[in-house]
Amino acid sequence: MNWLYDSVEPRVMDEDMLKLAVGEQGPRDEAGQLARQEGILFKDVLSLRLDFQNILRIDSLWQFENLRKLQLDNNIIEKIEGLERLVHLVWLDLSFNNIEAIEGLDTLVNLEDLSLFNNRISKIDSLDALVKLQVLSLGNNEISHMMNIIYLRRFKDLRTLSLSGNPIAEEEDYKMFICAYLPDLVYLDFRRIDDHMKELAEIKHQYGIDELKQRENLIQAQLDDERAQREELEEHKAAFVERLNGSFLFDSMYAEDVEGNKLAHLPGVGQLLQAYKDKFVIVCLNIFEYGLKQQEKRKVELDTFNECVQEAIQENREQGKRRIAKFEETHLLSLNAIRDESEVTNLEMKVAEHSKDITELFNMLMTLEMQLVEQLEETINTFERNIMDLVALFIENVQSLMAQCRDLENHHHEKLLEISINTLEKILKGELDEDLPYDVRALFVDKDTIVNAVGTSHDLHLLKIDNREDELVTRTNSWCSHLVDAIHKDEIMRNRRRVKEIHQYVDHVRNELDNLECSEIID
Amino acid sequence: MEVLKEKVEEEEEEAEREEAAVRAERGEKVVRPMEVRREEAPMTQEMLRDLEKKLSDIEMAIPEKLSTFTKDTIDISKLPLSYQSNTLKEEHLLQVADSFSRQYSHLCPDRVPLFLHPLNECEVPKFVSTTIRPTLMPYPELYNWDSCAQFVSDFLSMVPLPDPLKPPSHLYSPTTVLKYQEGNCFDFSTLLCSMLLGAGYDAYCVNGYGSQDMCQMDLTRDVCPLTVKHQEVVQEEEKVPPKKYAIKPPRDLTSKFQQEQETKKQEEIKAEEERRLREEEERLLDVEKAKTDPLHGLRVHSWVLVLSGKREVPESFFIDPFTARSYSTQDDHFLGIESLWNHKNYWVNMQDCWNCCKDLVFDLGDPVRWEYLLLGTEKSHLSLTEEEEDGLNDDDDMENLGKEDEDKSFDMPPSWVEQIEISPEAFETRCPNGKKVIQYKRVKLEKWAPYLNSNGLVCRLTTYEDLECTKTLEIKEWFQNREDMLELKHIDKSTGLNVDYFKPGHPQALRVHSYKSMQPETDRIMEFYDRARVDGLVKREETSKTMTEYYRGRSDFLSYRHVSFGDRVKKLSLNSAESNPRPIVKITERFARNPEQPADEDVAERVFLISEERIQLRYHCRDDHITASKREFLRRSEVNHKGNKIVMTPDMCISFEVEPTEHTKKLLYQYEAMMKLKNEEKLSRHQAWESELEVLEILKLREEEEEEHRLTISIYDTKRNGKSKEYREAMERVMHEEHLRQVEAQLDYLAPFLAQLPPSEKMTRWQAMRVKDECLSDFKQRLIDKANLIQARFEKETQELQKKQQWYQENQVTLTVEDEDLYLSYCSQAMFRIRILEQRLNRHKELAPLKYLALEEKLYKDPRLVEFMKVFV
């Protein structure tokens, strides 16, 4: 394994070494001649072989952005590193090295074939990012625990696995275990797994697998649930009414409200609070539903708009393409005619004629484009107006609903005040029968204290409601302005691109004509 | 029928109505003695004379071969009894019908007698309704009315009525008609009606008046239904309501007034054109229209009426049984109805037919419009209720009274006709002798039964240019069961274009082949079933200089390839026995968009200008662009002026890129691209060459197929499939032998001995013993005989062999090689025989005692002897 380790000096992966390797492995013969002439950029290299180089440390590979295949076998590498930039890597060979742990592969999501044969790895992990993994070679390592196999269950595409030469391969149950726990595997240790074997293994390990599957399913279900919830919340957020479909706002009002919670212990307040909560939640739900409905409306509006714009652009594009196709036919013909023309006067006339054609094409394309710009501008303005109106209406209605919340709060506040004062009077008179907690009783010292306490609670509640309303309004408005800005920007970008394209094309055509002329004149 | 067209005078009608009311009170139910509407003005002398003259002018064009289908050709002796006599119930029905007919002729003296009980093939009068035998045919093809009608019209050949102005005197049973495959319109409609009723339709036979063309089955003025092209239904595109944000079209700056003027002018021209066309058409029609028929409205015809309601028939319609065509009840060909009937009842039409059948109402429950013969069918629900009538039938004549009473309990007797059966052979052969020719207007249609023609031809439609059918315009031939799956051959004589259509399954997946000649390198179009082909070829068009191929569903997205050929270069070398392919000048290939590649790298069109050594590439257009990248490679200057090989220079590749990128500018990239293209050019050339070869191959195959025209036979076709027949016969033989063996096994070994005993007496013990002993000794004798026989044969063989050997040893020197061979072979055979005989003998010797014991055992246990044996034991 490391027979060279002591005797040979490790080498450093530097620019020269890479250049040499690239040059050697690059194109051959005539193509090689050209390649030498021009030089090869590292980022154009697709495959690189660096075996038997006594490399100790992987380095300087960051330039090979498009590398698909990398061979680093038969070196003395001890740690996987420096591969983070090679995201397109499909094939990675690190066999016959001195690697002790799998690491540094988290960015290589496209990796399909990984060889870590003959290393010193004792645990399979850190491979989670390699979702496309098909071939995994881990033979001649130091993996000793069967549970490492279960880790491999997550790779749905894994078909080939080699683990021979590991301590676990010595175990008598080795093959059966792998066949049972990795049922999609086709080749194990370079041999095809026969169906009979699979069946046997399945029967043997049925209990274990069932249990495992059950656990996996549970986890999966949990994940799904979470995702669904997250998605729902996202949706509500897009409608700006998240968490209004319940008592969340109400609860948040009382979450920091010390006095309010204390006062809830007063006789009669519990019921009052319950009634208040019910009403409040109903209003919240109203807001929520209204918000979703409005969101739907906005979406429909936006979709129609996009569809119409796309249609318009598409049609314009078709027109443009037709024009160009038509022009190209004549263009080829006239170029040929000019080429064949020998008489100078005729030639000049034809050239002039053709250049007129080109100008005409240019004008036509530009007219089309300008026409589209005008049309789109008008449409966009209409849309802008409409969406603004929609948003304004939404905000207005939400505000009126929020006002209802505030009314409820005010009403509740009055009632609470009344009860509190009554209670205070009773306490002062000493007529109170019930026991109140000590800290609640502390509030009932005099009228100011209790009024202050109730007032604080009320203010806090109002603040919460105001905050929620503000948040909604700001977010809605900002969404609207963002949307409109984005549409304008997109349109401008589109226009610029198209104009650039037209110019480029016309320039190219002109160039062709000029080149022809030049060559004619030279001839 | 002119008489019927007369208007009824008002006063008379008034009077009639009163009378009718009175009658209704009297409760007449079954037959109203007087007809209300059917009264008409008396014929004047002039009219009569006129008519007589007219009639005398008419020359009866009764065909010579009137009917081979007369009584004497029918062997009535083999017909069942129900054909030759009437049951009591039928007699009764005939009486009822007679009285009905009498009353009818009394009340409507001017109408022709009813067609009620014509004679059948045995000269027995049978009521028409009982001649209908509703039968559901066991063929799924005959479940719908159109196929039924087509079958009847194909199966029978038409015989005109003996007297075109009268219903026939005989009406044969459908079974007889089917047997002789001939009949008049009444036979046709009776058979068809039986089948339709069996299939669940509400069908009726109609006795009425038809146009000349219809009665004589003259289709020469009809357009053939096969030539009528389906009018393509132009689907009105749904007007999409303009969307909210649809862009406004650019302002139209042209003059509205000028446009209007222009459209006006256009319309005028169009109107003029149309008028001219119409005139032309009318003129043509006039020419085509035959002279009017003097017997118009008098020719008797019979057809089938299908009423709506059952089998989801939405609207009532007529079927002409001769042509199997359906007509609406308003059609001009049907000039009047006398009566109609099904297997349950008989109705007489009481409505005026002055306007053909257009005003008829087919509500058979309406007793004013339709006079029924029998009461009690479901259609008579509109008649007066019975209570009213029962109380009021005092002063009716006796006959009527009696009849009414009967009617209440009287229903139509069951049909006297045997079950209608069509054998599978007859069903397949269809037409008499499997062949039928129908002449339409400018069209001749010939039909054959499948497998009748050795080339599988089943139908030929010849279209002519002129009415006299002399100049052929086009021929369409339909085939069936061809091994090469040829389905239709269309020959257009005017252009010389042949089009063959194939069903799926041709070895080369051919679908359509249109050509003018079978010579290669001429104009032709071949279409293929592209899913059956590996290369996804849909269509290949050829002219003398080009070949265009269209592909679909290829993994390399190739959709089109066009190859232009140059003139063939004359080869001087002598060894040019091989094909000398034409040089390819240009190959154009187009590709569909490959969604996995960016548009800038996905080639849309590739042109190999082989003679100019140029390659042009055009890429696909990006989704948001209007221009596409282009690239042109020149692969000419391989060697520069110094003699060095130039690998690649920038001017060898001219490219226009929508979005220039760095790496495409590199010579290496361009060089690699060019190398790849060079390879692909070679490949394309090879493919073009292969395509040419394939065309040759297909042509050869087609010619072979045309010559051989083998027919396929379904494995389920037990009659024609020779292999399966053989197999089946072999199976049957085996079965038969097996059976024989079993019979033998059951042979009674005691029978000959028991027979010796005096019969009818009980066996005594002594007799039983004797029987047993005899049986055993007989068996012993047989065994010995057998052994002797084998022994004798063995000895004979041995002797012969010895003789031969002696002869051989004597003549050994003089023998030729052949003789020696002969001798040797004889020897080996003889030895073989001897050996076998020896084996047999040994076996026999071994088995004989066992067999003997077995028989003894058996005899002990024999039920006939067992009691005596027991005692003995």
Side-chain angles (χ1 to χ4, degrees), chain B residues 252-268:
Chain B
D252 189 8
L253 296 176
T254 52
S255 157
K256 287 269 163 18
F257 178 72
Q258 276 179 357
Q259 277 181 4
E260 265 169 35
Q261 292 297 319
E262 189 63 23
T263 45
K264 260 187 204 165
K265 218 186 271 173
Q266 291 282 340
E267 264 166 26
E268 265 170 36

Side-chain angles (χ1 to χ4, degrees), chain A residues 244-496:
Chain A
L244 284 177
N245 56 340
S247 59
F248 182 81
L249 181 58
F250 187 84
D251 293 344
S252 79
M253 283 183 346
Y254 276 89
E256 296 163 27
D257 182 7
V258 188
E259 280 85 3
N261 282 330
K262 279 181 194 164
L263 291 171
H265 294 290
L266 293 186
V269 173
Q271 287 161 6
L272 189 69
L273 208 56
Q274 192 56 45
Y276 171 45
K277 185 178 176 179
D278 289 349
K279 277 184 196 157
F280 193 89
V281 168
I282 286 171
V283 176
C284 279
L285 277 177
N286 277 343
I287 298 174
F288 177 73
E289 267 158 30
Y290 180 68
L292 284 190
K293 234 183 269 167
Q294 283 292 312
Q295 159 74 357
E296 194 63 28
K297 253 189 190 168
R298 285 195 295 268
K299 201 168 159 256
V300 169
E301 199 78 8
L302 188 60
D303 286 350
T304 351
F305 168 74
N306 278 337
E307 202 179 310
C308 291
V309 168
Q310 277 314 314
E311 261 171 31
I313 291 173
Q314 207 53 243
E315 207 199 312
N316 182 274
R317 184 176 159 241
E318 288 304 320
Q319 277 184 5
K321 268 168 100 172
R322 268 203 298 281
R323 298 265 174 212
I324 287 176
K326 219 160 86 187
F327 169 77
E328 242 163 43
E329 276 172 32
T330 55
H331 175 63
L332 271 182
L333 287 179
S334 30
L335 279 191
N336 281 338
I338 291 168
R339 206 174 280 139
D340 295 342
E341 192 57 60
S342 51
E343 212 159 303
V344 181
T345 46
N346 274 351
L347 181 79
E348 269 172 12
M349 206 176 73
K350 275 190 177 163
V351 168
E353 207 173 284
H354 191 58
S355 90
K356 213 181 89 196
D357 278 354
I358 295 172
T359 322
E360 200 181 310
L361 174 80
F362 176 73
N363 286 339
M364 185 59 82
L365 291 176
M366 286 311 268
T367 318
L368 269 177
E369 174 57 22
M370 287 333 284
Q371 195 180 308
L372 182 68
V373 167
E374 268 171 35
Q375 288 167 336
L376 285 183
E377 203 174 272
E378 206 179 324
T379 310
I380 290 171
N381 284 339
T382 326
F383 174 71
E384 199 179 326
R385 256 197 318 276
N386 286 345
I387 202 86
M388 293 279 208
D389 286 355
L390 261 181
V391 166
L393 183 73
F394 172 61
I395 290 174
E396 203 176 297
N397 282 329
V398 167
Q399 274 172 342
S400 79
L401 284 167
M402 284 294 191
Q404 278 183 29
C405 287
R406 254 177 239 120
D407 286 351
L408 281 174
E409 171 59 28
N410 286 336
H411 181 73
H412 176 73
H413 171 65
E414 277 164 26
K415 281 271 173 71
L416 188 63
L417 202 60
E418 203 183 309
I419 291 173
S420 307
I421 289 171
N422 281 345
T423 318
L424 181 70
E425 278 167 9
K426 274 185 191 168
I427 289 175
L428 289 182
K429 284 176 193 162
E431 286 170 4
L432 195 71
D433 320 325
E434 293 156 67
D435 285 339
L436 284 174
Y438 175 74
D439 51 344
V440 178
R441 199 172 270 274
L443 285 174
F444 294 92
V445 190
D446 54 18
K447 199 174 176 181
D448 279 352
T449 322
I450 189 68
V451 169
N452 272 344
V454 175
T456 323
S457 162
H458 178 55
D459 288 349
L460 194 70
H461 295 172
L462 283 183
L463 187 69
K464 283 276 175 191
I465 296 174
D466 285 352
N467 280 348
R468 184 70 187 86
E469 189 183 330
D470 280 354
E471 189 200 336
L472 191 145
V473 171
T474 1
R475 263 176 49 204
T476 314
N477 279 330
S478 78
W479 172 80
C480 184
S481 53
H482 273 270
L483 179 72
V484 171
D485 279 356
I487 288 172
H488 277 295
K489 213 189 270 172
D490 281 356
E491 166 55 17
I492 290 166
M493 287 301 289
R494 192 201 61 76
N495 178 27
R496 285 189 185 155

Side-chain angles (χ1 to χ4, degrees), chain A residues 168-179:
Chain A
I168 53 167
E170 304 299 315
E171 286 181 38
E172 57 176 330
D173 198 25
Y174 162 72
K175 253 192 186 165
M176 284 287 188
F177 190 85
I178 290 178
C179 292

Side-chain angles (χ1 to χ4, degrees), chain A residues 61-72:
Chain A
L61 281 174
W62 56 270
Q63 281 193 73
F64 292 84
E65 283 167 4
N66 289 311
L67 205 61
R68 299 278 190 278
K69 182 174 172 182
L70 176 61
Q71 281 169 278
L72 283 166

Side-chain angles (χ1 to χ4, degrees), chain B residues 264-276:
Chain B
K264 260 187 204 165
K265 218 186 271 173
Q266 291 282 340
E267 264 166 26
E268 265 170 36
I269 292 169
K270 210 183 253 175
E272 181 71 17
E273 192 109 318
E274 255 171 36
R275 205 166 50 80
R276 219 161 40 75

